[in-house]
Amino acid sequence: MADQTLAKEINERQILRFLRLGGSASRADIARHLEVTPASVTRLVNGLALRGLVREVQPEEKTPGAARDAGRPGVALALNPSAIYFLGVEIGVGILRYALIDLTANSVATSDVHVSRTITPEEVVDAIAAHVAMLERDLRYAGRVQSVGVTVPGVVNLEGFVINLPILGWKEVDLLTPLQAAVGRPCFVENDAGAAAFGSVYTMPELQTGCSVFLVIGRGCGGAAVMNGRLLRGASGATGELGHMRIARDGAVCSCGHRGCLESHVGLDALARSYLGTDSLEEAQFEALSAEVADRFNSGDPTAIASVADLAGWLSLAIVSLANIFNPSTVFLGGALGPVLSLIIEGLRRDVAAGIVPGLPAPEVRLFSLEPYECAIGVAAIAHQRCFDSSRVDKDMAG
């Protein structure tokens, strides 16, 4: 009986994932995909329909080009968007951002609230619990928020401990345990750059296979690698600390306390030191710095040209190393450094193609922009993916 229950759960999750990626499908499509009998598909689909997770749709709602079920002409199956929801929360400096996505992974509600720049973990838990309680009072979402994902701009392990979050002064903080107790449903904690990277891949079916590497460059330099639709986490969950890859023996002291990190050579602080001779700037000055340097570069300012060239050299060195390690099909670059990145993207492509191991295909180097709620939506997408992940069935059923 246990084996039958396990097989049923795996097949149900595979059906849900198939419908998410395809939009809709006939019962015959599903049977072919799962390699099971039509009768088995009917039983599985009926179970999902009773729980409100799937619905029948008419031909005009069906994905163009999808095969039609000869036994039931004109009828297809699709996810029911309003069946369940997933909440994502980004903990930023002085702000909490919330994003709610539905079963089809579409964002349905976003909001933010300004908080103290020195907010404590206890205050964060209280704020998130209050937001969940507010959703429970809304008839659209009451009883349907499946789980909660939270991002922090720091190092997180697999157990939800915030190992180090210097910008908020948190260290060795167990955020997960009190959060789950306060909201009464499954929760998890992720690094913000990793969540944003995963969310970007999750919305692009063409990137569900292969490997993509992301670098998000601002005051810091976060990153992530997503392979076959999964975020690489490593033994303790901290794989995404790509900004602390050592690319030199010296340089300014990084936020981690070491020298020679990628972050200390390509972040906005590094650009400020190179261009202005100091990194003692107000936050608003940092926010405007990349666009200012790009404008001066385009005007022929020699200091700006030299600063951009120095940054490009370090960044190309790092991307070559990442390409040799991960063998990605695509390297995405984004963040507050965007205006400067747009100046050097073509040169980076040439340098990376010339610098990787001979014979390896060069990855495509692309720019991507981070929207205000990208991290919150990304961590909600991780929660969503767990609902569809058949490889987690044993763990989820045990929990």
Side-chain angles (χ1 to χ4, degrees):
M1 182 62 70
D3 288 344
Q4 291 178 358
T5 302
L6 180 63
K8 176 175 175 289
E9 182 71 20
I10 290 173
N11 284 330
E12 285 183 345
R13 294 193 185 196
Q14 289 180 339
I15 290 173
L16 293 175
R17 184 174 186 274
F18 185 57
L19 294 177
R20 182 186 79 81
L21 294 176
S24 66
S26 69
R27 287 166 174 78
D29 293 333
I30 296 170
R32 284 189 291 269
H33 176 70
L34 265 63
E35 298 182 343
V36 299
T37 66
S40 296
V41 166
T42 297
R43 287 194 298 271
L44 291 165
V45 167
N46 287 346
L48 293 170
L50 283 173
R51 287 147 57 194
L53 298 174
V54 301
R55 62 191 177 103
E56 291 186 341
V57 294
Q58 297 304 312
E60 60 268 21
E61 296 179 75
K62 197 176 179 193
T63 303
R68 174 171 292 182
D69 187 339
R72 301 189 63 179
V75 175
L77 296 164
L79 298 179
N80 177 15
S82 61
I84 52 177
Y85 297 91
F86 306 86
L87 178 64
V89 186
E90 177 193 359
I91 303 173
V93 179
I95 195 168
L96 297 177
R97 294 188 177 92
Y98 299 94
L100 194 70
I101 66 174
D102 64 20
L103 189 57
T104 60
N106 286 319
S107 175
V108 296
T110 56
S111 61
D112 58 59
V113 57
H114 290 279
V115 296
S116 168
R117 296 176 65 87
T118 57
I119 192 169
T120 66
E122 294 77 15
E123 290 169 333
V124 165
V125 169
D126 290 344
I128 295 174
H131 190 85
V132 172
M134 180 194 70
L135 293 174
E136 286 296 326
R137 293 191 296 270
D138 190 318
L139 293 179
R140 295 171 296 175
Y141 312 125
R144 299 182 181 182
V145 179
Q146 182 89 353
S147 56
V148 178
V150 178
T151 72
V152 297
V155 183
V156 182
N157 72 11
L158 293 174
E159 285 71 45
F161 272 76
V162 180
I163 304 300
N164 193 19
L165 181 46
I167 201 165
L168 289 180
W170 298 5
K171 195 167 186 177
E172 297 294 337
V173 172
D174 179 9
L175 187 62
L176 181 62
T177 301
L179 181 62
Q180 290 194 143
V183 304
R185 66 206 69 207
C187 300
F188 58 92
V189 184
E190 294 282 355
N191 169 266
D192 56 355
F198 180 85
S200 298
V201 169
Y202 201 62
T203 58
M204 293 185 278
E206 68 273 16
L207 294 179
Q208 293 299 300
T209 58
C211 178
S212 300
V213 172
F214 288 74
L215 282 177
V216 183
I217 309 173
R219 292 290 306 276
C221 179
V226 182
M227 187 171 293
N228 295 327
R230 298 178 185 277
L231 187 64
L232 294 185
R233 290 184 169 87
S236 64
T239 298
E241 294 302 315
L242 303 183
H244 298 293
M245 177 173 61
R246 299 290 293 277
I247 59 172
R249 289 186 176 274
D250 53 13
V253 177
C254 180
S255 63
C256 69
H258 296 295
R259 297 181 186 272
C261 293
L262 173 63
E263 178 178 301
S264 63
H265 284 83
V266 303
L268 289 175
D269 290 62
L271 183 62
R273 290 190 295 270
S274 177
Y275 178 64
L276 299 173
T278 179
D279 56 13
S280 298
L281 307 182
E282 299 293 330
E283 193 63 35
Q285 292 175 294
F286 276 117
E287 292 175 359
L289 181 62
S290 183
E292 177 186 340
V293 172
D295 286 342
R296 298 301 300 165
F297 179 95
N298 289 326
S299 298
D301 179 85
T303 303
I305 292 172
S307 297
V308 170
D310 181 65
L311 185 148
W314 289 114
L315 187 55
S316 66
L317 178 65
I319 297 173
V320 166
S321 295
L322 292 172
N324 286 335
I325 293 169
F326 291 105
N327 186 28
S329 58
T330 312
V331 176
F332 291 91
L333 305 175
L337 196 68
V340 166
L341 292 175
S342 66
L343 297 175
I344 61 177
I345 185 67
E346 291 299 332
L348 290 175
R349 288 167 178 157
R350 290 192 299 269
D351 291 347
V352 170
I356 61 174
V357 173
L360 286 181
E364 181 183 5
V365 183
R366 293 167 55 178
L367 299 178
F368 79 105
S369 59
L370 282 175
E371 301 301 325
Y373 293 95
E374 200 84 29
C375 293
I377 292 173
V379 77
I382 294 175
H384 186 278
Q385 189 259 356
R386 291 186 178 199
C387 179
F388 291 75
D389 188 355
S390 57
S391 70
R392 290 181 53 87
V393 169
D394 277 334
K395 183 175 181 179
D396 291 346
M397 292 179 70

